[in-house]
């Protein structure tokens, strides 16, 4: 029988519930337990695959091709365990299943209600994950905030599950926010108390409360929360804002949460001492003073950095493993298109250029310009999915001289559709879940840059696209120096392109960012960042001042900017 941990959130959203869940997974795994994590999302979409990145942030893709919430990326990065279709359940999926069964006559004339039909479907899906993974502990994050109308069936389902599974096998954890009142310089616990009351209304008494705060949480505050919320003092865990998310597992371990959970779940006899040495080394590496390498990320959803979450994380992982901090310069591809003179210096100042995935024609010409700039200025380039496609369009236009080259996604009438719809996509009308999704094998060309980077000839990578390189142009591209260095198993699909006479110009039809881990950076990100660092040593880039935003934890501590001088090899 697995144990279950249910995590709810209160007071406000965006308090780091996903990262906390992922961190708990890490702590349990570090004690020798097997862990599976899932997220219950109360929205009515079947999955986030059809949502705008502005609404939802990144769509994380699993090995088995599920389009899921970005929190699953945190789960995978922190626990290094693959998630699957079963790991993300939405209200849309639950209702679709129940209504489908009703239409098939599966309820034998019964009246279909939230309790028990919807709640049973939710419980069934939680149990399905437990069964599929045979994990010792199943951790379930309930999306949204306690008090949301659409979250109620989920709370009811987990309340029932404690009775079904046995009281000793289930724990409820609750993350809240302690607001700070500047005038009186104090943290307030009242919203937490109200949030717990709201949970009690649903029949759930939390066993652990994690308090997110921008300030240290005193023992008095912990006592107060313990008293009013009816839990042990050692079950009140401060979650003080960290300089990097990767510090959270160590923080909550230090606060005693790992031991507390193991004790209360009755697992003390089956675990070993936590092995967190590699994680500790990671956090130390992150905190070290080290040079900064600036990477220009050219995309059209840059106002919301979460839209590129796994890409940004992968750059960090690669940078840290190479002894550098990556600073991302977020460049709006549409502005690059219209205000080239203003934005070109930012590309010039970058040690590497990355064009991540995307959909639709807005901002495309800006991305094509970025690829051209990288190619013609020998700046390391990494194109991810759409980033490969724009690199091929650019090469076809300016090297092969096919001025009308384009993707049929952006111009269905294009003269040369060097990127075209995959044949099995042509007759599809439904948008949800119909792309080429999930993990596929990719065969690397021996001797290519990517084969060298991976150190392997066969790799598995995750996809999410409808279009691909048009094979009618393969030969001409290759003859002109754009090498197909990764292919699908039957050689039908070009999965990777790279330029021969360039320090590092690689485009992938897949998304390597989904497989990078903080302690195991992805070879292609590592190759890209290493090339960027090497380029900085050889060619000092201009330093410019601009108002680009940077991610909090990659630019913290006032780390010095790398100039050629700081690396000691100016030419
Ligand atoms: N829009 C492109 C396609 O569907 C690229 C998708 C992506 O970047 N994930 O093929």
């Amino acid at each position: 029988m697995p144990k279950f941990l249910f995590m709810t959130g209160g007071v406000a959203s965006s308090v780091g519930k996903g990262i906390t869940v992922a961190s708990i997974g890490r702590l349990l795994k570090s004690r020798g337990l097997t862990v599976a994590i899932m997220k219950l999302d109360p929205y009515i979409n079947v999955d986030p695959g059809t949502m705008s990145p502005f609404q939802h942030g990144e769509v994380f893709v699993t090995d088995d091709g599920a389009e899921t919430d970005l929190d699953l990326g945190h789960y995978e990065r922190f626990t290094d365990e693959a998630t699957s279709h079963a790991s993300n359940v939405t209200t849309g999926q639950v209702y679709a299943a129940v209504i489908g069964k009703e239409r098939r006559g599966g309820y034998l004339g019964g009246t279909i209600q939230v309790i028990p039909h919807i709640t049973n479907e939710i419980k069934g899906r939680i149990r399905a994950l437990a069964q599929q993974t045979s994990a010792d502990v199943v951790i379930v994050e309930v999306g949204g905030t306690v008090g949301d109308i659409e979250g109620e069936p989920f709370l009811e389902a987990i309340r029932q599950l404690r009775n079904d599974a046995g009281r000793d096998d289930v724990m409820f954890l609750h993350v809240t926010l302690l607001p700070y009142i500047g005038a009186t310089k104090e943290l307030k616990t009242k919203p937490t108390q109200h949030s717990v009351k709201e949970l009690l209304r649903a029949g759930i008494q939390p066993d652990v409360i994690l308090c997110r705060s921008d300030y240290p949480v005193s023992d008095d505050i912990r006592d107060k929360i313990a008293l009013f919320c009816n839990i042990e003092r050692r079950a009140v865990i401060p979650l003080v804002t960290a300089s990097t998310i990767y510090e959270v597992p160590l923080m909550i371990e230090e606060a005693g949460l790992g031991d507390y959970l193991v004790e209360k779940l009755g697992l003390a006899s089956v675990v070993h001492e936590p092995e967190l040495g590699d994680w500790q080394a990671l956090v130390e590496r992150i905190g070290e003073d080290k040079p900064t390498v600036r990477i220009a990320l050219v995309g059209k959803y840059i106002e919301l950095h979460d839209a590129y979450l796994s890409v940004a994380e992968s750059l960090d992982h690669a940078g840290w493993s190479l002894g550098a901090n990556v600073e991302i310069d977020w460049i709006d591809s549409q502005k690059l298109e219209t205000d080239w003179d203003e934005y070109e210096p930012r590309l010039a100042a970058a040690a590497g250029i990355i064009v991540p995935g995307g959909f639709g024609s807005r901002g495309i010409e800006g991305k094509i310009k970025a690829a051209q700039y990288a190619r013609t200025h020998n700046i390391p380039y990494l194109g991810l999915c759409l980033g490969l496609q724009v690199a091929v369009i650019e090469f076809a236009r300016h090297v092969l001289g096919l001025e009308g080259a384009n993707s049929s996604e952006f111009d269905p009438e294009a003269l040369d559709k060097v990127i075209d719809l995959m044949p099995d996509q042509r007759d599809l009308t439904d948008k949800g879940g119909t792309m080429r999704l999930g993990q596929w094998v990719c065969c690397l060309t021996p001797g290519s840059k990517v084969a060298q980077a991976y150190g392997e000839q066969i790799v598995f990578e995750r996809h999410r696209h409808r279009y691909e390189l048009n094979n009618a142009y393969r030969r001409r591209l290759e003859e002109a120096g754009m090498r197909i260095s990764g292919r699908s198993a039957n050689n039908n699909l070009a999965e990777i392109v790279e330029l021969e006479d360039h320090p590092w110009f690689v485009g992938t039809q897949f998304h390597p960012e989904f497989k990078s881990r903080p302690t195991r950076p992805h070879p292609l990100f590592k190759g890209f960042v290493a090339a960027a660092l090497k380029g900085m040593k050889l060619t000092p880039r201009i330093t410019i001042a601009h108002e680009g935003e940077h991610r909090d934890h990659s630019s913290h501590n006032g780390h010095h900017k790398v100039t050629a001088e700081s690396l000691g090899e100016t030419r």
Side-chain angles (χ1 to χ4, degrees), residues 24-187:
I24 291 172
R26 183 80 210 181
L27 294 192
L28 297 176
K29 187 175 172 184
S30 78
R31 289 165 159 79
L33 296 166
T34 54
V35 182
I37 312 185
M38 74 189 294
K39 178 149 192 211
L40 306 176
D41 271 312
Y43 53 68
I44 297 169
N45 303 61
V46 169
D47 62 43
T50 52
M51 285 189 216
S52 154
F54 283 125
Q55 290 269 318
H56 189 272
E58 167 183 282
V59 172
F60 187 80
V61 180
T62 60
D63 281 344
D64 67 347
E67 297 174 279
T68 72
D69 187 81
L70 53 74
D71 274 330
L72 273 76
H74 291 309
Y75 305 163
E76 289 207 2
R77 285 186 284 273
F78 279 67
T79 64
D80 206 0
E81 295 290 337
T83 55
S84 71
H85 264 104
S87 317
N88 195 189
V89 172
T90 67
T91 295
Q93 287 168 25
V94 169
Y95 272 81
V98 170
I99 292 169
K101 190 169 166 192
E102 184 272 337
R103 292 288 84 185
R104 292 189 299 275
Y107 293 106
L108 303 173
T111 304
I112 314 305
Q113 294 177 304
V114 173
I115 306 170
H117 301 97
I118 295 298
T119 46
N120 282 352
E121 181 66 29
I122 296 169
K123 288 194 290 182
R125 284 167 184 250
I126 297 171
R127 289 199 180 283
L129 180 77
Q131 214 158 34
Q132 276 170 31
T133 59
S134 309
D136 298 325
V137 184
V138 174
I139 313 179
V140 183
E141 175 184 352
V142 183
T145 310
V146 168
D148 296 344
I149 290 178
E150 58 267 43
E152 288 195 5
F154 291 100
L155 294 183
E156 171 59 16
I158 63 172
R159 182 196 69 76
Q160 292 175 12
L161 220 148
R162 185 176 216 179
N163 264 346
D164 301 351
R167 307 211 140 239
D168 298 338
D169 294 328
V170 174
M171 286 179 79
F172 293 117
L173 294 84
H174 191 53
V175 180
T176 71
L177 173 74
L178 302 180
Y180 181 76
I181 308 287
T184 51
K185 293 193 174 55
E186 53 177 355
L187 290 170

Side-chain angles (χ1 to χ4, degrees), residues 357-359 384-386 389 409 464-467 509 511:
F359 295 84
L384 308 171
C385 202
L386 183 63
Q389 298 176 358
E409 180 180 6
R464 181 173 185 250
H465 60 110
R466 293 186 201 282
Y467 297 81
Q509 193 52 77
H511 290 272

Side-chain angles (χ1 to χ4, degrees), residues 61 355-360 364 367 384-389 407 409-410 419-422 425 435-436 463-468 508-511 513-514:
V61 180
V355 176
F359 295 84
I364 277 300
K367 293 179 188 176
L384 308 171
C385 202
L386 183 63
L388 169 144
Q389 298 176 358
S407 162
E409 180 180 6
F410 317 127
I419 305 293
D420 205 358
L421 210 51
M422 284 184 269
Q425 288 282 334
M435 281 186 250
R436 179 172 182 238
H463 294 249
R464 181 173 185 250
H465 60 110
R466 293 186 201 282
Y467 297 81
E468 57 152 321
T508 64
Q509 193 52 77
F510 49 80
H511 290 272
E513 68 269 26
F514 296 136

Side-chain angles (χ1 to χ4, degrees), residues 367-380:
K367 293 179 188 176
I368 293 173
K369 279 184 172 169
Q372 181 181 20
Y373 197 86
R375 178 177 63 79
T376 54
H377 290 76
N378 281 334
I379 300 176

